[in-house]
Amino acid sequence: MKKLINTLIVDDNPMIIEAYKSMFSYGDLEEYEINIDIASDCDSAIAKMKQALKKQPYQLFYFDMNLPPSSDGKFKSGEDLALYAKQNFPKAKVVILTLNNDNLSLHNILTKINPDGLLIKNDSNPADFIAGFKTILRNPPFYSSTVLKYLNTINILKDKQQFDGNDIKILMHLENGVMTKNLTKYINLSLSAIEKRKSNMRKLLGVKRGNDQELIKAAKEKGLI
């Protein structure tokens, strides 16, 4: 007997949705019966999820990150939808689909959502999509190649030089032009704690001059950002 997988794909690009739907026809998926619903914005996605809660819950979600916000302003992006799905469908698998492949975006997705799958759209091909589908259902998480490269870099630096998530955030926001005095708006640390971390990172990265540009340059050379 085939295992029913009720699936919701949310993306505001109809061609992208059709591409992902067509990928389910590739590979050996004979053990599954895949029922696909689609939504193109936050309003329709929430409506689909509320309806599913009353009838037959979803087992799998694919959310694009960049979506039109809901009319009431409560849901601003795919991130909000993913968090809603994780809260209301605790047994379901949540996958993020995104074009955003910069380190800050990947870090935020992994730390805030902790999805069962993270697929960069430019990495996607039918074979990887099907492999991801199987892994996500059986033994998550599944990450596409760009995400794995980012994680490998971070893990190497963590192991060798004891960088943590807040250090990465500091570097990323500095790279994006945020001044040190304003970092407390983005990171849950005091200004003194941030300054201490910056000083420690300079030592670890061998930065003798104290300005942020040199710190960012050294971090890039090490592949940290």
Side-chain angles (χ1 to χ4, degrees):
M1 183 176 179
K2 291 187 177 183
K3 183 176 181 180
L4 178 64
I5 306 295
N6 286 315
T7 303
L8 178 63
I9 302 176
V10 186
D11 197 298
D12 62 347
N13 187 328
M15 293 180 65
I16 294 292
I17 288 181
E18 288 305 314
Y20 282 114
K21 286 172 65 177
S22 69
M23 286 188 191
F24 282 108
S25 64
Y26 291 87
D28 180 15
L29 296 178
E30 293 182 358
E31 63 183 290
Y32 300 104
E33 179 183 346
I34 304 168
N35 178 44
I36 299 175
D37 287 340
I38 62 173
S40 59
D41 53 36
C42 289
D43 280 326
S44 56
I46 290 296
K48 293 274 188 180
M49 284 191 273
K50 287 182 176 179
Q51 186 178 28
L53 284 170
K54 296 177 182 178
K55 295 183 178 180
Q56 196 165 25
Y58 291 113
Q59 287 82 41
L60 180 62
F61 294 94
Y62 289 89
F63 293 112
D64 180 28
M65 285 295 288
N66 301 313
L67 294 167
S70 61
S71 55
D72 60 9
K74 292 182 179 179
F75 299 89
K76 297 180 174 62
S77 66
E79 177 184 323
D80 293 334
L81 293 179
L83 294 175
Y84 178 89
K86 287 175 75 75
Q87 181 179 1
N88 290 278
F89 299 83
K91 295 183 179 180
K93 307 300 183 185
V94 172
V95 185
I96 298 298
L97 308 167
T98 182
L99 282 169
N100 302 330
N101 61 2
D102 61 283
N103 287 354
L104 182 57
S105 294
L106 297 180
H107 178 83
N108 287 338
I109 291 169
L110 291 168
T111 55
K112 292 181 180 179
I113 302 173
N114 188 24
D116 299 288
L118 176 52
L119 307 178
I120 306 304
K121 290 183 178 180
N122 290 337
D123 292 343
S124 294
N125 60 65
D128 285 347
F129 185 84
I130 293 302
F133 169 82
K134 292 179 178 179
T135 299
I136 288 160
L137 289 182
R138 298 170 183 172
N139 187 31
F142 178 87
Y143 302 131
S144 62
S145 58
T146 298
V147 184
L148 290 174
K149 182 179 179 180
Y150 162 74
L151 288 172
N152 185 55
T153 300
I154 297 303
N155 287 334
I156 290 172
L157 287 164
K158 279 183 179 179
D159 290 341
K160 291 184 177 180
Q161 299 181 319
Q162 299 178 348
F163 285 83
D164 67 14
N166 282 322
D167 294 325
I168 306 302
K169 285 183 179 180
I170 289 169
L171 291 169
M172 289 176 176
H173 286 301
L174 288 174
E175 183 190 19
N176 287 340
V178 178
M179 298 180 67
T180 298
K181 66 180 181 180
N182 294 325
L183 286 174
T184 54
K185 298 178 182 178
Y186 303 91
I187 303 169
N188 189 27
L189 292 172
S190 67
L191 185 57
S192 62
I194 290 172
E195 291 284 10
K196 186 179 292 186
R197 283 173 176 268
K198 285 177 61 180
S199 177
N200 185 55
M201 284 190 286
R202 288 190 188 97
K203 292 178 182 178
L204 291 171
L205 292 170
V207 177
K208 295 181 179 180
R209 295 174 60 185
N211 64 62
D212 292 342
Q213 288 72 27
E214 290 299 317
L215 178 59
I216 293 167
K217 179 181 177 182
K220 285 184 175 180
E221 289 174 352
K222 295 289 187 179
L224 192 55
I225 55 175

